[in-house]
Amino acid sequence: ETGVLSRRGGVAVDGTKIAANAGKHSAVSHGRAGEMIEEIKGEVRELVALAEKADREAVPETLKVPEEIARREARRKKLEEARRVIEARHKEKTVERQRDFEEKTADRAARRERGERVRGPGPQPPPAEPDAKDQYNFTDPESRIMKAGNGGHFEQAYNAQAAVDTEGSMLVLGGYVTDAPNDKQQLPAAVESVPREVRDTTHVLADTG
């Protein structure tokens, strides 16, 4: 109504990391969680043996065996839940990665049939198991470990995407927040985040233009 925003024009899209309400030290990796679960099971076995020993002879009064076992079992359940979440996330990603793998494999096969020379190693199928370094944060489970700033360090964060008017107003026309650690797959979604009644997008600038 004020004429500030053009009905047609371009948008510039980019992402920026927003710190989560949690530190990366509150996170655990899939591999480390598995190791800790086995350590806890070993400690519980020792405590059970100590409890059986207490039936026959005295143990230090400061050691509350049932409480120690309960504390470890509670920790084990949290770690097992963390591994389940990481594995579920991996399964979701595998569907998309498998589709990409099949498309690339089919493309290479079609090119060979046409007599074209196909260079380089073939695509690899997605791994069946999560990477040992895949992480879960107990304080803010939806956040992820991401490269921050110039990529020199990592933070527990979210990836916020913005689509900005390039026709002079500098208004943010669209945006959203994702847990994807980089912007590689965000271009279509970033453009689609701009409502059609706000801007008939004629061209898009990405990152530095």
Side-chain angles (χ1 to χ4, degrees):
E1 292 178 355
T2 63
V4 171
L5 185 64
S6 302
R7 177 69 183 82
R8 290 169 53 82
V11 295
V13 300
D14 203 352
T16 186
K17 301 304 191 304
I18 303 296
N21 190 26
K24 60 184 179 182
H25 301 295
S26 301
V28 66
S29 68
H30 186 264
R32 180 56 183 149
E35 295 172 356
M36 293 172 71
I37 288 171
E38 293 306 313
E39 291 171 3
I40 289 172
K41 287 180 179 178
E43 291 173 1
V44 169
R45 285 193 295 269
E46 293 177 2
L47 287 167
V48 169
L50 189 60
E52 293 173 350
K53 180 181 178 181
D55 293 335
R56 301 187 301 272
E57 55 187 272
V59 297
E61 294 184 0
T62 55
L63 181 62
K64 308 295 183 182
V65 174
E67 293 178 10
E68 291 295 328
I69 291 176
R71 186 167 62 84
R72 285 166 173 76
E73 288 293 346
R75 178 63 173 167
R76 179 178 62 83
K77 289 180 180 179
K78 289 183 178 180
L79 290 167
E80 289 175 344
E81 176 62 19
R83 281 174 62 88
R84 281 193 292 270
V85 172
I86 293 172
E87 289 162 5
R89 291 173 180 169
H90 175 75
K91 189 174 182 180
E92 290 178 4
K93 292 179 181 178
T94 298
V95 174
E96 181 178 340
R97 291 172 179 170
Q98 180 64 26
R99 188 184 306 116
D100 183 61
F101 164 73
E102 292 173 356
E103 289 176 355
K104 290 180 178 178
T105 301
D107 177 67
R108 290 172 68 90
R111 289 165 60 190
R112 286 195 182 95
E113 289 181 3
R114 294 194 298 267
E116 298 179 15
R117 187 174 181 178
V118 180
R119 298 178 180 275
Q124 298 298 314
E129 298 295 328
D131 190 290
K133 295 181 180 179
D134 288 351
Q135 296 198 343
Y136 173 91
N137 191 286
F138 292 102
T139 306
D140 191 349
E142 294 182 347
S143 62
R144 300 288 189 277
I145 290 286
M146 302 181 184
K147 283 187 177 181
N150 60 3
H153 68 287
F154 291 82
E155 291 181 355
Q156 196 73 29
Y158 291 92
N159 188 357
Q161 300 290 315
V164 181
D165 178 28
T166 63
E167 305 306 317
S169 77
M170 298 298 290
L171 290 170
V172 177
L173 307 183
Y176 59 95
V177 176
T178 176
D179 60 11
N182 57 59
D183 298 342
K184 290 181 179 178
Q185 304 295 326
Q186 301 307 313
L187 181 58
V191 176
E192 292 169 5
S193 73
V194 180
R196 295 185 182 276
E197 61 268 27
V198 172
R199 164 58 50 85
D200 180 8
T201 304
T202 57
H203 59 280
V204 181
L205 307 179
D207 295 336
T208 59

